[in-house]
Amino acid sequence: MAHSSRLVDMVHERIEDFLAERTSILRSISADLEPLDGFSRRFLSGGKRFRALFCYWGWEAVRTRGFDPFEAAEGPDRFPVVSAAAALELFHAAALVHDDLIDRSDTRRGLPSAHRLFEGLHAESGWAGDAADFGVDAAILLGDLLLGWSDEILDEGLDALADRAAARASRREFMRMRTEVTAGQYLDILEERAWVVQPDDEQRLRAERVIVYKSAKYSIEAPLVIGASLAGATESQIRTLRDFGLPLGIAYQLRDDLLGVFGDPEVTGKPSGDDLREGKRTVLVAIARERLAAGQRRLLDELLGDASLSAEQVRMLQRTISECGAVDEIEQIIARNAARAVAALDDAPLGHEARNELAAMAKTVTRRTS
Amino acid sequence: MAHSSRLVDMVHERIEDFLAERTSILRSISADLEPLDGFSRRFLSGGKRFRALFCYWGWEAVRTRGFDPFEAAEGPDRFPVVSAAAALELFHAAALVHDDLIDRSDTRRGLPSAHRLFEGLHAESGWAGDAADFGVDAAILLGDLLLGWSDEILDEGLDALADRAAARASRREFMRMRTEVTAGQYLDILEERAWVVQPDDEQRLRAERVIVYKSAKYSIEAPLVIGASLAGATESQIRTLRDFGLPLGIAYQLRDDLLGVFGDPEVTGKPSGDDLREGKRTVLVAIARERLAAGQRRLLDELLGDASLSAEQVRMLQRTISECGAVDEIEQIIARNAARAVAALDDAPLGHEARNELAAMAKTVTRRTS
């Protein structure tokens, strides 16, 4: 893990250096742009950096497999992979800024979300007009800015790579990830509204499709492949990493869904039962609906998505979902997917240390409490 | 102009081909994504394609200057420049989708804006929840999708270019443009609110800064330089194109400001006096404020940004702004900047046909009525 924590520091430094250059452009335009700078740093300073780590270990897994001792003296050039890992973090920060707008979330990691920060800035500055409107508008722009920057930092890394085919392969995966995660987010917000006109027996399948694109591929499979491609991965190495990444990503998101309903606000930094108030149509909800009797199902449908749910109502919904056996079923699916992921690493054509590290990370992301 | 209209067709085709590939990814995920596809095409099918044209003529200006007759038999490879021009159009479509959200505009080119389209889709589909909320959320995602795609189509073009230094220079300008226009948009939405705490005598300067970054560099200077860089422009060629593009861009935007207040809705596709209801703090408004007596200035400040202005109030504001001489002054500034732009082309180290074409376009963009 010492290796991983060094990587996290390198990514952090890379992001800091990059932001320093970009914000010098902002500063040359106007001092009024300072909040774009300050709030960017705020959203990039924390987080678990899972995506960066999967990218790095995807790279390391391929690099150390075909290890050339003559290269060892100098050590590998980590700039491309650290840049790609940083790009994933910048992209994620952009997605979170827009996601919090879409979910109307007031907090992110226990602190105000971006639109709330801008709203606060408006309120304390004595400006004209509506503070909340300004918050939304400015957060749309902050997300756009970070989205563009994620792409720039990736390109800086790819430009430094001599192997052009590897650079192109890595970039292609990044691009596809970007399209797929946006599509997944659209399906997510659609499902919150469209479930009402969908057949009951399709809801689980539809919820599964959302997590595959919105989360599983995005959070784990794509970062692994982006990193591995940088090291010139073979098709069989890429296939192995996908076989590991996709089920692990599903397990990861199912854990997230459980935390969204049952998580401890002190640990998650989000209000208790947040997903219930938002009305997310998760796999957990789909399974609960399959298991509940008609009357309880109607009650669940009625309360889900009601932003004004009381603490008592949240507790009642938590009990309903848990007692029908949906939580146990989700835990079983998590365990099954995590096992399938780890099994994909057996005899995999990947470096030894990286395989161990990936197996350890599989435990971390499926057993986490925040 | 035949040359230009051929180019417009090529850009249009390039966008169509690109979208066909991208939407096949969407279709492989879910048929529910069809609206992202359909609405993208809608926002990319129209428009004046100014940015694409400036990009193309920037390229042509440099290419034909150092023209090699041995190359002529085959003709130049237009794929990189057509891709860059298409990237500018895709980026612009993304910006408009988010811009209409920010400005709360119901229409774009006389048709419903993206968030209104999604809102309509919700209403006609019988989904749960609030239709307007869905419209906003989906439009945020559509803009994000187009933003990512603009970058992809650019890269496809740059990848096909043998001259790596030229590719990097072109990309660097695209990146800078993206940061600057987002900063400019932020300053724009800021100014609508923050003018109230700014000294009166700085408002014109602040409004000028907004149009330089939000519009002048973005709409004309950057597209020219992006195109010129692809052809391997020298520093002196780039400088000339900037000397032409920046003042022309300022003139272009000042014309836009006039149209935003006085434009014919039949021609502009926007409601009459739209900018007045939005409360845009344009250079036109800043000049009017300098010229008006205190009482009239207070009235202007009071009405500007009132979304419920009546047709009569709009006419009254139009008269106030016109009669104080602000319109005449803006017309003079437009003429002065347009002249400065055209003068920069005299004896410029650029191809002959391109110089003529750029001079003709300078007329078009500063004298337009929509």
Side-chain angles (χ1 to χ4, degrees):
Chain A
M1 293 300 279
H3 200 146
S4 282
S5 87
R6 261 206 322 278
L7 183 268
V8 168
D9 289 343
M10 285 167 78
V11 169
H12 186 74
E13 253 173 64
R14 178 74 180 92
I15 292 174
E16 286 287 311
D17 290 351
F18 177 84
L19 286 182
E21 279 174 34
R22 288 312 170 281
T23 56
S24 81
I25 299 180
L26 298 184
R27 228 164 287 136
S28 75
I29 297 173
S30 164
D32 293 335
L33 297 169
E34 202 280 323
L36 291 177
D37 178 5
F39 297 168
S40 295
R41 282 168 203 277
R42 189 144 165 185
F43 286 97
L44 280 159
S45 65
K48 308 181 201 81
R49 306 251 194 248
F50 278 153
R51 292 165 192 81
L53 283 168
F54 280 114
C55 174
Y56 180 77
W57 285 107
W59 177 77
E60 191 76 15
V62 170
R63 184 186 76 82
T64 49
R65 171 68 179 188
F67 193 62
D68 175 1
F70 291 105
E71 204 193 39
E74 273 191 44
D77 176 9
R78 287 192 166 76
F79 183 77
V81 71
V82 169
S83 297
L88 288 165
E89 295 294 316
L90 271 155
F91 180 86
H92 192 56
L96 294 183
V97 168
H98 282 178
D99 218 35
D100 286 341
L101 272 179
I102 288 172
D103 291 342
R104 284 140 192 97
S105 291
D106 295 336
T107 56
R108 169 63 58 185
R109 297 175 192 148
L111 296 169
S113 48
H115 56 283
R116 288 294 184 192
L117 287 175
F118 283 111
E119 184 179 339
L121 176 68
H122 183 289
E124 77 199 19
S125 304
W127 296 337
D130 186 75
D133 280 355
F134 178 72
V136 170
D137 298 352
I140 291 176
L141 295 173
L142 177 64
D144 290 351
L145 193 67
L146 291 170
L147 217 47
W149 286 354
S150 71
D151 195 67
E152 290 184 42
I153 198 167
L154 176 71
D155 277 321
E156 288 181 359
L158 297 182
D159 264 354
L161 198 70
D163 182 345
R164 297 316 298 159
R168 262 198 297 277
S170 185
R171 186 165 180 88
R172 199 162 46 235
E173 182 73 14
F174 193 91
M175 300 287 186
R176 191 169 181 108
M177 172 200 82
R178 206 161 51 178
T179 294
E180 287 184 342
V181 71
T182 310
Q185 282 179 289
Y186 178 81
L187 292 177
D188 195 24
I189 63 165
L190 181 70
E191 208 50 27
E192 276 173 46
R193 283 99 171 176
W195 67 272
V196 74
V197 298
Q198 299 297 334
D200 272 350
D201 62 0
E202 285 182 17
Q203 303 214 350
R204 181 167 173 166
L205 206 72
R206 294 174 65 91
E208 283 168 358
R209 197 180 54 187
V210 168
I211 66 171
V212 164
Y213 289 100
K214 191 199 160 174
S215 181
K217 281 170 174 283
Y218 167 61
S219 302
I220 302 189
E221 184 187 335
L224 282 166
V225 173
I226 289 166
S229 301
L230 287 176
T234 63
E235 266 182 50
S236 124
Q237 288 174 318
I238 296 284
R239 204 163 42 238
T240 302
L241 287 169
R242 289 196 192 281
D243 288 346
F244 167 74
L246 184 60
L248 184 60
I250 290 171
Y252 166 83
Q253 182 55 41
L254 292 176
R255 173 66 60 214
D256 213 58
D257 288 352
L258 284 177
L259 291 170
V261 174
F262 300 97
D264 178 352
E266 292 286 316
V267 187
T268 62
K270 289 248 168 193
S272 170
D274 208 31
D275 280 3
L276 299 172
R277 291 198 180 85
E278 274 178 30
K280 288 234 170 293
R281 292 276 148 179
T282 58
V283 176
L284 176 66
V285 167
I287 291 179
R289 289 183 83 256
E290 287 174 4
R291 288 172 165 265
L292 290 170
Q296 276 194 301
R297 184 161 65 232
R298 264 197 307 279
L299 187 68
L300 176 65
D301 284 341
E302 214 164 281
L303 293 179
L304 212 64
D306 177 350
S308 64
L309 285 185
S310 68
E312 178 47 44
Q313 285 174 309
V314 165
R315 274 194 299 275
M316 193 268 286
L317 281 174
Q318 287 171 331
R319 267 198 313 273
T320 304
I321 293 171
S322 182
E323 283 169 7
C324 73
V327 173
D328 288 343
E329 187 172 342
I330 291 278
E331 287 287 5
Q332 284 161 20
I333 305 175
I334 291 175
R336 211 157 52 227
N337 276 283
R340 193 184 308 158
V342 174
L345 296 176
D346 284 349
D347 306 314
L350 301 169
H352 184 70
E353 186 198 356
R355 274 184 358 190
N356 288 344
E357 193 65 33
L358 289 173
M361 284 175 72
K363 280 191 193 148
T364 312
V365 301
T366 50
R367 295 186 189 165
R368 70 207 158 88
T369 55
S370 74
Chain B
M1 294 299 280
H3 200 143
S4 283
S5 86
R6 260 206 323 279
L7 183 268
V8 168
D9 290 343
M10 285 167 79
V11 169
H12 186 75
E13 251 174 64
R14 178 76 180 91
I15 292 174
E16 286 287 312
D17 290 350
F18 176 85
L19 286 182
E21 278 174 35
R22 288 312 171 280
T23 56
S24 81
I25 299 181
L26 297 184
R27 228 163 288 137
S28 74
I29 298 174
S30 164
D32 292 336
L33 298 168
E34 202 282 321
L36 291 177
D37 177 5
F39 298 168
S40 294
R41 283 169 203 277
R42 189 144 167 184
F43 286 96
L44 279 159
S45 66
K48 309 181 201 81
R49 308 249 192 249
F50 278 152
R51 291 164 192 83
L53 283 167
F54 280 114
C55 174
Y56 180 77
W57 286 107
W59 177 77
E60 192 76 15
V62 170
R63 185 186 74 83
T64 50
R65 172 68 179 188
F67 192 62
D68 176 1
F70 290 106
E71 204 193 39
E74 274 190 43
D77 176 9
R78 287 192 165 78
F79 183 77
V81 71
V82 169
S83 297
L88 287 165
E89 294 294 316
L90 271 156
F91 181 85
H92 192 56
L96 294 182
V97 168
H98 283 177
D99 220 36
D100 286 340
L101 272 180
I102 288 171
D103 291 342
R104 283 142 194 93
S105 291
D106 295 336
T107 57
R108 168 63 58 184
R109 296 174 193 149
L111 295 169
S113 48
H115 56 283
R116 288 294 184 194
L117 288 174
F118 282 112
E119 185 179 338
L121 176 69
H122 183 289
E124 77 199 18
S125 304
W127 297 336
D130 186 74
D133 280 355
F134 178 72
V136 170
D137 298 352
I140 291 177
L141 294 174
L142 177 65
D144 289 351
L145 193 67
L146 291 169
L147 216 48
W149 285 354
S150 71
D151 194 68
E152 290 184 42
I153 198 167
L154 175 70
D155 276 321
E156 288 181 359
L158 297 182
D159 264 353
L161 198 70
D163 183 345
R164 297 316 298 158
R168 263 197 298 276
S170 184
R171 186 167 180 86
R172 199 163 46 235
E173 183 71 13
F174 193 92
M175 301 286 186
R176 191 170 181 108
M177 172 200 83
R178 206 160 50 177
T179 294
E180 287 184 344
V181 71
T182 310
Q185 283 178 288
Y186 178 81
L187 291 177
D188 195 23
I189 64 164
L190 180 71
E191 208 52 26
E192 275 174 46
R193 283 100 172 176
W195 67 272
V196 74
V197 298
Q198 299 296 334
D200 272 350
D201 62 0
E202 286 183 17
Q203 303 213 350
R204 183 167 172 165
L205 205 72
R206 293 174 65 90
E208 284 168 358
R209 196 180 53 187
V210 168
I211 67 172
V212 164
Y213 290 101
K214 190 198 161 173
S215 182
K217 283 170 172 281
Y218 167 60
S219 302
I220 302 188
E221 183 187 336
L224 282 166
V225 173
I226 288 165
S229 300
L230 286 176
T234 62
E235 266 181 51
S236 124
Q237 289 174 318
I238 296 283
R239 204 164 41 239
T240 302
L241 288 169
R242 290 195 192 281
D243 288 347
F244 167 75
L246 185 59
L248 184 60
I250 290 170
Y252 166 83
Q253 182 55 40
L254 293 176
R255 174 64 60 213
D256 212 58
D257 288 352
L258 285 176
L259 290 171
V261 174
F262 299 97
D264 177 353
E266 292 286 316
V267 187
T268 61
K270 288 248 171 195
S272 170
D274 207 32
D275 279 4
L276 298 171
R277 292 198 180 86
E278 273 178 30
K280 288 233 172 290
R281 292 278 148 179
T282 59
V283 177
L284 177 65
V285 167
I287 292 179
R289 290 184 82 256
E290 286 174 4
R291 288 171 165 267
L292 290 170
Q296 278 193 299
R297 184 161 65 233
R298 263 197 307 278
L299 188 67
L300 177 66
D301 285 341
E302 214 164 281
L303 294 178
L304 213 64
D306 178 349
S308 64
L309 285 185
S310 68
E312 179 47 45
Q313 285 173 310
V314 165
R315 276 194 299 276
M316 194 268 285
L317 282 175
Q318 286 172 332
R319 269 198 311 276
T320 304
I321 293 171
S322 181
E323 283 168 8
C324 72
V327 173
D328 289 343
E329 187 172 341
I330 291 280
E331 287 287 3
Q332 284 161 20
I333 305 175
I334 291 175
R336 209 156 54 226
N337 276 282
R340 193 183 307 159
V342 174
L345 296 176
D346 284 349
D347 306 315
L350 301 170
H352 184 70
E353 186 198 355
R355 275 189 345 192
N356 288 343
E357 193 65 33
L358 289 174
M361 284 176 71
K363 281 192 193 149
T364 313
V365 302
T366 51
R367 294 185 191 167
R368 70 210 158 87
T369 56
S370 73

